[in-house]
Amino acid sequence: MTTTPSLVDAGAFDLHGDKLREECGVFGIIGAADASAACALGLHALQHRGQEAVGISSFDGAEFITRRGLGHVADNFSSAESLAELKGHMAVGHVRYSTTGGSGLRNVQPLYADLASGGFAVAHNGNISNAMQLKQELVSKGAIFQSTSDTEVIIHLVATSRYPTMLDKLTDALRMVEGAYALTVMTPRGMAACRDPMGIRPLVMGKLGDAVVFASETVALDVVGAEFIRQVDPGELIEVDFDGTIRSHRPFGETKARPCIFEHVYFSRPDSIFNQRSVYESRKNIGAELARESPCEADLVVPVPDSGVPAAIGYAQESGIPFELGIIRSHYVGRTFIQPSDSARHAGVKRKHNANRLLVEGKRIVLIDDSIVRGTTSLKIVQMMRDAGAAEVHFRVASPPTGHGCYYGVDTPERSKLLAGRMDISAMQEFIQADSLAFVSIDGLYRAVGLASRDNSCPQYCDACFTGEYPTPLTDLAGRKEKEAQLSLPVNKVA
Ligand code: SF4
């Protein structure tokens, strides 16, 4: 094993700079007297899905009102005054971490448009993988775009649809888009919520008294006091009228579900239920699988906080090695890390985490993290344990190697910057300077979420960032590769 110069000069730093980032969370409620307040509360519970910007639109029976801002929910919607103008019994909201479209205020959702058929407000989680192609077609016909968000494509497709009803217009629009979406939509006639045909991005439905609630995760239902009814099924479009009537439509017929398996690994909060399973249990199971597949002679199992904690509990329980908090997180450091620019992302380094020196000194440590993305943070963590006197540092990862980008609404570095995109496991181990490195297998991950193994002929989840097998066409990417091949330029950036 070679050594490289230390990247850390002190024992305390932030571990969150090297994660995949869920791009958005959505919320919608209809039939509640204080719809916008419930919406703000629900978005607060979804804050982990996007910290860059937030917005709420409400409808008071006559007018749509939208307020959007940069920053956290609490920065924008913490006071009665901030919600006072968002009147009405129906509201949709959105928290955002930008990838496609950039980070300006004009891309902050919900997006709103006055259509010939009336107002239309939409909050979207996901990424439309043929948005560029559709946008070019729309622009060539005279469409004028206000934002660079792929979500605006949906609005234009609805606006230009020749079908008579809003439901048909929305269905018509969605049949033209590829990729991943979970949408909450408001029109003067009520609310619609839908998921792409494979249900790549999550969306659930609940009841709060007479009100109907939609959210990216069940934790948002819990926080507003709503009862979880069921998930919105892949390819399902649900309409809710102001009188509470709920209608379910299947505009794509029978579809094969491929929800994002990374929701189990990292994106969803552990207290959420995703795809009929407790996320916390899934993460513990992954840790247990990891312990069976890649055992280790060690004194302590140490989670990388906070996302590695459930898997570390599972690893410790299965292996019999004591679980200990060898890295302590400060809860009082400003949120400097979740920003879309590299400089902002790195600004919070060295402020948030610290080795529990007296615990780890002289011990053989098994570190458990949910994933390795670029690998730079993993190297820092290993060094932090060594600097604190650990005798050995073994690294176990609660997901398979992340070697491919995501085109479904998750911020991933280009493949050349993913550690697993350019190195095998032994080279990765050398890079992060661990005494050993192992990842849970793809079959182990599927076992952890309750399946016998990955069905290679018909996988049950989207797992493309591990396998490179994308469940939908990637039209924009293919078009860009073709254009770049014609120009003999290297492919180095994707939407
Ligand atoms: S590529 Fe990975 S992160 Fe993206 S939707 Fe699929 S499993 Fe989730």
Side-chain angles (χ1 to χ4, degrees), residues 34 46 65 93 97 104 131 138 154 172 174 180 270 327 333 343 360 378 384 393 457 493:
D34 50 357
L46 299 173
I65 311 113
Y97 176 82
L138 288 159
I154 295 173
D172 188 31
L174 295 180
I327 302 169
V333 174
S343 54
V360 304
S378 308
M384 182 169 70
V393 185
S457 61
K493 192 110 173 82

Side-chain angles (χ1 to χ4, degrees), residues 66 135 213 231 312 316 327 357:
T66 300
K135 187 171 178 177
V213 186
Q231 67 169 3
I327 302 169
R357 180 178 292 274

Side-chain angles (χ1 to χ4, degrees), residues 166-210:
M166 185 54 84
L167 183 73
D168 287 341
K169 286 177 191 291
L170 182 57
T171 301
D172 188 31
L174 295 180
R175 283 182 176 152
M176 284 185 256
V177 307
E178 294 168 0
Y181 52 83
L183 304 175
T184 51
V185 174
M186 284 194 309
T187 74
R189 278 161 289 283
M191 182 166 287
C194 52
R195 265 175 107 189
D196 65 77
M198 293 182 171
I200 295 173
R201 298 266 67 88
L203 192 62
V204 296
M205 179 168 72
K207 286 278 278 178
L208 178 61
D210 293 332

Side-chain angles (χ1 to χ4, degrees), residues 139-159:
V139 168
S140 72
K141 290 178 193 160
I144 298 168
F145 280 75
Q146 306 279 324
S147 74
T148 53
S149 158
D150 59 334
T151 311
E152 197 179 350
V153 168
I154 295 173
I155 293 179
H156 280 275
L157 292 174
V158 171

Side-chain angles (χ1 to χ4, degrees), residues 33 64 104 115 141 156 332 375:
F64 287 85
L115 308 184
K141 290 178 193 160
H156 280 275
Y332 304 101

Side-chain angles (χ1 to χ4, degrees), residues 424-491:
D424 63 16
I425 291 178
S426 131
M428 284 192 266
Q429 179 189 328
E430 191 164 329
F431 179 86
I432 68 168
Q433 299 183 19
D435 292 296
S436 72
L437 170 66
F439 296 77
V440 77
S441 69
I442 190 77
D443 282 338
L445 176 58
Y446 272 85
R447 281 193 296 275
V449 299
L451 296 159
S453 64
R454 183 180 195 263
D455 178 349
N456 291 332
S457 61
C458 188
Q460 303 91 323
Y461 279 91
C462 176
D463 52 25
C465 48
F466 308 127
T467 61
E469 292 176 28
Y470 295 92
T472 73
L474 299 173
T475 299
D476 289 345
L477 180 67
R480 189 175 305 181
K481 279 183 174 170
E482 199 178 310
K483 202 172 278 177
E484 287 175 340
Q486 284 164 6
L487 295 169
S488 301
L489 291 172
V491 176

Side-chain angles (χ1 to χ4, degrees), residues 50-133:
Q51 291 90 1
E52 181 206 336
V54 58
I56 296 176
S57 292
S58 71
F59 179 65
D60 66 5
E63 253 193 308
F64 287 85
I65 311 113
T66 300
R67 267 199 77 218
R68 301 179 293 173
L70 300 178
H72 283 208
V73 179
D75 298 333
N76 289 278
F77 297 109
S78 58
S79 65
E81 298 79 59
S82 62
L83 293 164
E85 62 182 329
L86 291 163
K87 294 189 172 65
H89 290 208
M90 176 168 71
V92 293
H94 190 267
V95 287
R96 170 181 172 81
Y97 176 82
S98 70
T99 53
T100 305
S103 57
L105 193 56
R106 67 185 175 143
N107 289 321
V108 178
Q109 298 191 26
L111 296 185
Y112 174 77
D114 278 312
L115 308 184
S117 49
F120 186 92
V122 58
H124 168 210
N125 173 209
N127 188 56
I128 296 167
S129 54
N130 64 339
M132 275 164 48
Q133 185 197 60

